[in-house]
Amino acid sequence: MAKRSTLFIRIVEGKNLPVKDITGSSDPYCIVRIDNEAIIRTATIWKTLSPFWGEEYNVHLPPSFHNVSFHVLDEDSLSRDDVIGKVSISKEALAAKPQGIDGWMNLTEIDPDEEVQGEIHLKVSVLGKGYAPKILRCHVFEARDLAKKDRNGASDPFVRVSYNGKVHETAVVKKSCYPRWNESFEFELDEASADTPLSVEVWDWDLVSKNDFLGRVLFNINRLQSAQQEEGWFRLGPDKPKHSQYEGTLGSLRLKLMLRDEMVLPSSHYQPLVELLCQSVGAHLNGNLPELMMLIDETTTAESRQEVATNLIKLFLGQGLVKEFLDVLFKLELDKTGEPNTLFRSNSLASKSMESFLKVAGMQYLHRLLGPTINRIFEEKKYVELDPNKVELKEAGCAGLHRVQTEADVIQQSAGHLQSYLFDLIHAIVQSAVYCPTSLCQTFRQLYQRVQERFPEKEYRKVKYIAVTSFLCLRFISPAIMSPKLFHLREKHADARTSRTLLLLAKAIQTIGNLDTLACFSKEPWMVPLQPAIQQGIAQLKDFITRLVSCDDSEDLGLQARMSLQCGSMEKEGFLFLHRTKDKCMLMTSPFKKYFVTLGKDTLSYARTQHSKKSSFIPLPKIRAVEKVEEKSFGSANVMQIISEDNGQMETLYLDCKSVNELNQWLSALRKACIHNTDTMSSYHPGIYKGDRWSCCHQKDKADAGCDKTRHGVTLQEWYDPLDPDLESQLIFRHLIGVRQAMREKYLEKIKTEEGHEKDFIADEERLDGVRRFFKVLQDLQDAHQAVEEEAERSRNKNFLLELQT
């Protein structure tokens, strides 16, 4: 049993941002921080004060997180990036709105006194009994993860302890965010001033300028006298908030956030529900329409359809029944469709489920298919425009040394570029029939056959092809072309020129996918120069679909099998710069070297090139910690370390990533791959051992346990994540509980309809009994959750009483 917290983040857009560049504009991007740890960086949107990002993320969080903040900055090529402002939202504010937060939020000034982080280890006690004067003692042990205030990537912290007008200070620890003091201070307790708190403040010492505030902790004297002693790690808080003179003038962000806390029960509790869901799609193989899937389909609202579809796809992928599940939805959709031109064009559960299936099971296929063409467009940066109303001759440049291009020249040249890109892409699609995952081929084949059975008439002979292309081209390939970053095809968004090229190419693919040029050219006649290429593409696409749906059932299920629960794997790969040490010894002078790193099911391996034999392996069960490294250690903020144990000897592998996004993607992937490891470390050193000491805390013992706690909880959800059957079952259960009453009403309505048409349809009692069992299973699961919550409440009350007695 475990509590899982997931935060859905959609960074939509900004508006009315201040001018930061001499051009009269800004180049804004956004950094997302969880408790001041940067986990996401959006793309930079150039030369605008109203940027649109449209980026979505799901972040898995530890229950102990406190807040999420969005920092907006202006990117500068030659100097440090300018800070624009931030939006900060506490965990309590997110939890208070379970339906989510969606709207515009004003950016506020970033006050250095509020940008605090870290914890301090203290022991505060009251000494003395009876009528003798009492002493208030504060022992300052150490601090960790303090804010970096100096240009060297560290701080020079000291602690100021004050009570009732008297002040003590510790020594200054130079160049450390993990200082250790081990100093003790005493004050005479003034019982007449019980409302005066004991203040413990951490400061960064500066020789020239004034000291920087790093955080504070306040202790209530009355509570201390009752408890006699308090010891532990205390979170540093900000100074009193100041009124901002820029309030309302820094612009605003449009955000959509939703925090979900899920109590995931042991697998045995979900097994009856999973079995019923599997039986509901299994029954379809015998020709019986599954009542349960029909009820889920008819009661799922538009707002929750995408999430429900994704959860169901993952659950049935794990059970090896995703093809059967999609076939059920295809038949339900076809039975409701009378006009073939509208088939699968709405955002129904069938459409959303197929869309999710393509993203979960077809992303590697998509990358191989689109990668070369997308990269070529980004590298060439050609000016492409077919619409005469949008042609800009100054953007197109000159045809020669003495002649400026005309509008006709630009359109002709643009058509040539687009035809070249389109030819490459159609050729890649046709060739992809040999490497398209078998699971996708089989799913498209059953869709093709179902549509052919539903619309056998000659005038509808194109409908079966359009059903396939409506998903493959319109809902998968075209969106990826228009937004390659959102499909992980590129690290950054395209600039305005490249975006227009991608949009025109996506329009051409949509036209080919519709198998109809007349409709497109009547709406956008300026697309006519592409007509020959589009006509040829339609013929090639129909041949491709014919080959695609001709796969053999006896073939291996490919990606679907690899993603099943029994053999789930996580695959991530890419070039990184590595540096390796053994037994935490001194770093050698050799620099980071470039390797191709592969994270597989059981090992992390790397080699000098992508196709060369892997030179080194780290078995995943031997990994003890995966953590970030301080920026000052290597002069880079994007270095991580993998600490592993081999025959009792500790080894550290340092990986230097290109960006904060790549860093957190690798951190997340490795942490999820090692989630079941035993003997993991509870603390580590975020610095390096160099010279004769650790750079983070200045301790000289190489075997020192570590000055910071390890972080396993913050991970990014990715398409290649291994399946989590219990979590998927819990998410589906939560949705079904929400629509249970609507399902009951639909169920009773259907029974009444069947009783009134006994001659046409006689209800199968065994099939209906399955639906009744389904409602009982939901009730049993709800009772189990309630019992867990009641037990947790009793435990909290018991601990509270013990504290009072102490």
Side-chain angles (χ1 to χ4, degrees):
M1 184 172 60
K3 187 175 182 180
R4 316 274 182 94
S5 295
T6 303
L7 179 63
F8 168 78
I9 298 173
R10 178 171 169 81
I11 307 165
V12 186
E13 58 185 322
K15 67 179 181 181
N16 301 328
L17 300 184
V19 173
K20 290 292 182 179
D21 299 335
I22 58 174
T23 59
S25 187
S26 292
D27 305 313
Y29 66 92
C30 191
I31 293 284
V32 183
R33 297 177 180 272
I34 301 292
D35 292 339
N36 290 308
E37 180 182 1
I39 60 165
I40 296 165
R41 184 199 193 278
T42 68
T44 300
I45 310 299
W46 304 98
K47 299 178 182 178
T48 180
L49 301 179
S50 299
F52 179 83
W53 289 288
E55 298 188 21
E56 291 184 2
Y57 303 91
N58 277 295
V59 186
H60 302 299
L61 299 169
S64 58
F65 97 96
H66 297 90
N67 66 70
V68 56
S69 58
F70 301 83
H71 294 239
V72 181
L73 296 93
D74 165 61
E75 182 169 337
D76 286 324
S77 302
L78 302 177
S79 60
R80 295 182 68 178
D81 294 349
D82 299 314
V83 176
I84 294 177
K86 74 166 185 175
V87 171
S88 186
I89 304 162
S90 67
K91 179 183 179 181
E92 292 73 24
L94 291 166
K97 294 191 175 182
Q99 75 280 8
I101 297 173
D102 186 0
W104 289 96
M105 302 179 193
N106 288 332
L107 290 165
T108 60
E109 183 184 6
I110 297 179
D111 184 352
D113 289 350
E114 293 183 28
E115 299 300 302
V116 301
Q117 65 184 65
E119 299 172 306
I120 186 167
H121 185 190
L122 302 169
K123 180 180 178 181
V124 183
S125 50
V126 177
L127 308 177
K129 296 182 179 180
Y131 296 101
K134 294 182 179 179
I135 301 299
L136 180 63
R137 176 181 294 170
C138 178
H139 194 106
V140 183
F141 294 98
E142 56 187 321
R144 62 190 181 196
D145 194 27
L146 298 179
K148 305 169 183 62
K149 295 292 185 178
D150 298 336
R151 287 184 177 273
N152 59 18
S155 290
D156 304 318
F158 69 93
V159 177
R160 180 179 295 158
V161 186
S162 58
Y163 170 70
N164 204 22
K166 190 176 181 182
V167 179
H168 292 291
E169 292 183 354
T170 67
V172 176
V173 179
K174 294 291 187 69
K175 299 180 182 178
S176 177
C177 292
Y178 300 84
R180 295 183 180 181
W181 294 284
N182 200 25
E183 297 185 37
S184 186
F185 306 103
E186 293 184 352
F187 302 88
E188 185 175 331
L189 186 65
D190 185 357
E191 302 204 31
S193 303
D195 293 335
T196 303
L198 172 70
S199 173
V200 180
E201 297 179 345
V202 186
W203 292 82
D204 166 53
W205 178 83
D206 285 319
L207 178 63
V208 179
S209 58
K210 71 172 187 176
N211 297 335
D212 299 310
F213 181 74
L214 294 176
R216 75 193 310 181
V217 181
L218 297 176
F219 290 90
N220 182 282
I221 298 301
N222 285 329
R223 181 175 173 179
L224 273 173
Q225 286 184 294
S226 301
Q228 294 296 305
Q229 179 177 297
E230 285 191 37
E231 180 180 359
W233 286 95
F234 298 90
R235 183 168 177 258
L236 292 169
D239 199 0
K240 294 179 181 178
K242 303 170 185 175
H243 178 72
S244 173
Q245 58 179 320
Y246 300 105
E247 192 169 353
T249 65
L250 298 176
S252 53
L253 279 183
R254 186 182 169 201
L255 302 169
K256 185 173 182 180
L257 308 169
M258 183 179 291
L259 178 65
R260 288 257 175 83
D261 288 326
E262 300 291 346
M263 182 60 71
V264 181
L265 303 176
S267 301
S268 57
H269 287 82
Y270 300 107
Q271 195 58 38
L273 175 61
V274 174
E275 288 176 358
L276 275 175
L277 290 170
C278 291
Q279 289 170 17
S280 72
V281 300
H284 179 63
L285 301 177
N286 299 322
N288 295 324
L289 190 65
E291 300 288 333
L292 181 53
M293 277 302 144
M294 178 185 286
L295 292 174
I296 293 175
D297 179 37
E298 293 181 357
T299 56
T300 302
T301 62
E303 292 77 15
S304 60
R305 205 165 282 147
Q306 182 66 72
E307 182 184 2
V308 173
T310 302
N311 294 333
L312 286 170
I313 282 292
K314 289 184 176 180
L315 183 139
F316 285 113
L317 264 172
Q319 299 298 320
L321 289 170
V322 70
K323 186 177 69 170
E324 291 76 11
F325 165 64
L326 288 170
D327 199 23
V328 169
L329 295 183
F330 293 157
K331 193 169 189 312
L332 287 171
E333 183 85 356
L334 285 163
D335 288 345
K336 292 186 291 186
T337 304
E339 173 55 51
N341 292 330
T342 63
L343 184 60
F344 298 117
R345 294 306 172 104
S346 66
N347 290 323
S348 62
L349 185 61
S351 297
K352 288 296 183 183
S353 295
M354 187 63 178
E355 209 174 293
S356 296
F357 172 65
L358 289 172
K359 290 179 180 177
V360 173
M363 196 64 81
Q364 289 176 324
Y365 165 72
L366 183 76
H367 281 209
R368 183 173 176 182
L369 174 69
L370 293 183
T373 304
I374 296 296
N375 290 335
R376 180 188 164 195
I377 293 172
F378 270 80
E379 290 163 7
E380 292 182 353
K381 294 185 180 296
K382 301 281 189 183
Y383 178 75
V384 175
E385 184 55 74
L386 296 179
D387 187 351
N389 296 321
K390 295 184 179 180
V391 170
E392 296 183 12
L393 297 179
K394 64 178 181 180
E395 287 286 335
C398 299
L401 292 176
H402 306 291
R403 187 173 70 87
V404 177
Q405 285 184 310
T406 65
E407 182 180 285
D409 293 334
V410 173
I411 292 175
Q412 183 181 2
Q413 192 177 71
S414 299
H417 294 322
L418 278 173
Q419 286 173 354
S420 176
Y421 297 142
L422 192 57
F423 174 81
D424 284 356
L425 189 51
I426 292 297
H427 179 72
I429 292 174
V430 171
Q431 294 299 314
S432 73
V434 297
Y435 61 80
C436 182
T438 310
S439 58
L440 265 64
C441 295
Q442 293 180 341
T443 303
F444 281 129
R445 183 178 66 174
Q446 69 188 14
L447 171 62
Y448 181 92
Q449 291 173 345
R450 288 293 182 193
V451 175
Q452 190 174 35
E453 293 167 5
R454 176 67 178 83
F455 298 104
E457 296 84 359
K458 188 176 180 180
E459 62 266 31
Y460 299 139
R461 60 184 179 274
K462 288 201 307 185
V463 176
K464 56 183 178 289
Y465 293 102
I466 295 175
V468 175
T469 59
S470 66
F471 289 115
L472 183 62
C473 295
L474 276 62
R475 292 179 180 264
F476 195 39
I477 294 177
S478 285
I481 293 172
M482 286 190 287
S483 303
K485 183 181 186 298
L486 301 185
F487 285 77
H488 307 286
L489 285 159
R490 297 289 298 188
E491 185 180 340
K492 294 184 178 181
H493 280 304
D495 57 26
R497 174 181 286 196
T498 306
S499 293
R500 183 60 180 170
T501 305
L502 293 173
L503 177 61
L504 292 172
L505 182 61
K507 281 180 177 288
I509 289 295
Q510 288 172 350
T511 304
I512 293 172
N514 286 324
L515 307 182
D516 182 9
T517 57
L518 294 178
C520 170
F521 298 147
S522 62
K523 293 179 181 177
E524 296 170 327
W526 43 265
M527 290 284 287
V528 168
L530 296 181
Q531 186 171 8
I534 288 174
Q535 291 284 14
Q536 183 182 356
I538 289 173
Q540 291 177 307
L541 188 63
K542 289 177 71 174
D543 291 340
F544 164 73
I545 293 170
T546 303
R547 292 174 57 199
L548 193 69
V549 300
S550 302
C551 61
D552 185 2
D553 272 336
S554 62
E555 294 178 20
D556 175 61
L557 290 183
L559 187 60
Q560 177 176 335
R562 291 205 303 274
M563 293 192 68
S564 70
L565 286 177
Q566 291 76 19
C567 47
S569 68
M570 172 182 297
E571 293 185 0
K572 183 171 176 60
E573 58 186 18
F575 280 102
L576 294 171
F577 288 89
L578 307 186
H579 186 92
R580 188 164 194 167
T581 66
K582 291 191 176 182
D583 197 24
K584 295 184 179 177
C585 62
M586 184 190 307
L587 286 171
M588 306 302 290
T589 57
S590 60
F592 281 84
K593 295 181 180 179
K594 190 175 183 179
Y595 286 88
F596 189 81
V597 184
T598 303
L599 173 60
K601 179 185 175 184
D602 302 310
T603 61
L604 178 76
S605 58
Y606 53 93
R608 294 310 298 265
T609 65
Q610 182 175 358
H611 303 292
S612 60
K613 185 178 179 181
K614 298 295 183 288
S615 60
S616 296
F617 297 85
I618 300 177
L620 296 183
K622 293 188 177 182
I623 293 179
R624 299 291 173 256
V626 181
E627 298 294 337
K628 293 183 180 180
V629 177
E630 275 191 306
E631 180 178 357
K632 69 175 185 178
S633 300
F634 295 106
S636 170
N638 303 317
V639 178
M640 59 180 284
Q641 58 179 314
I642 301 171
I643 304 172
S644 59
E645 185 176 357
D646 187 17
N647 297 323
Q649 186 179 32
M650 302 301 292
E651 297 184 3
T652 304
L653 177 67
Y654 296 97
L655 285 73
D656 190 7
C657 303
K658 295 192 295 289
S659 65
V660 66
N661 286 348
E662 186 179 58
L663 170 67
N664 283 289
Q665 287 164 7
W666 276 99
L667 276 171
S668 297
L670 280 160
R671 285 171 176 172
K672 284 179 279 194
C674 302
I675 194 169
H676 299 298
N677 284 10
T678 56
D679 298 327
T680 54
M681 298 167 62
S682 59
S683 61
Y684 78 107
H685 285 284
I688 56 176
Y689 196 85
K690 194 172 184 179
D692 63 346
R693 64 186 63 197
W694 288 101
S695 63
C696 44
C697 58
H698 304 331
Q699 297 303 301
K700 295 187 176 182
D701 183 5
K702 291 182 184 178
D704 187 78
C707 55
D708 199 7
K709 58 183 178 181
T710 52
R711 296 167 175 82
H712 305 289
V714 179
T715 57
L716 299 175
Q717 182 174 307
E718 299 285 356
W719 60 268
Y720 49 73
D721 283 355
L723 300 174
D724 188 338
D726 293 342
L727 178 59
E728 302 305 335
S729 300
Q730 167 60 26
L731 293 173
I732 292 168
F733 160 72
R734 176 170 47 74
H735 167 73
L736 294 175
I737 281 292
V739 298
R740 178 171 53 176
Q741 186 56 37
M743 292 180 74
R744 278 202 180 109
E745 293 171 1
K746 282 279 183 185
Y747 172 58
L748 294 173
E749 181 184 327
K750 181 162 184 61
I751 290 178
K752 290 178 182 178
T753 303
E754 290 171 356
E755 288 174 351
H757 298 81
E758 237 177 301
K759 292 182 180 178
D760 300 323
F761 184 87
I762 300 176
D764 183 348
E765 189 60 32
E766 183 179 347
R767 182 163 47 84
L768 293 179
D769 183 59
V771 180
R772 298 187 188 104
R773 282 189 291 120
F774 162 75
F775 287 119
K776 184 179 184 306
V777 165
L778 284 187
Q779 186 60 52
D780 291 343
L781 254 176
Q782 190 175 33
D783 293 343
H785 271 278
Q786 189 171 346
V788 169
E789 291 171 4
E790 290 174 354
E791 179 60 32
E793 183 64 26
R794 282 194 294 270
S795 177
R796 284 192 294 268
N797 290 338
K798 182 179 179 181
N799 291 336
F800 178 68
L801 290 173
L802 286 174
E803 284 185 21
L804 288 178
Q805 291 172 3
T806 303

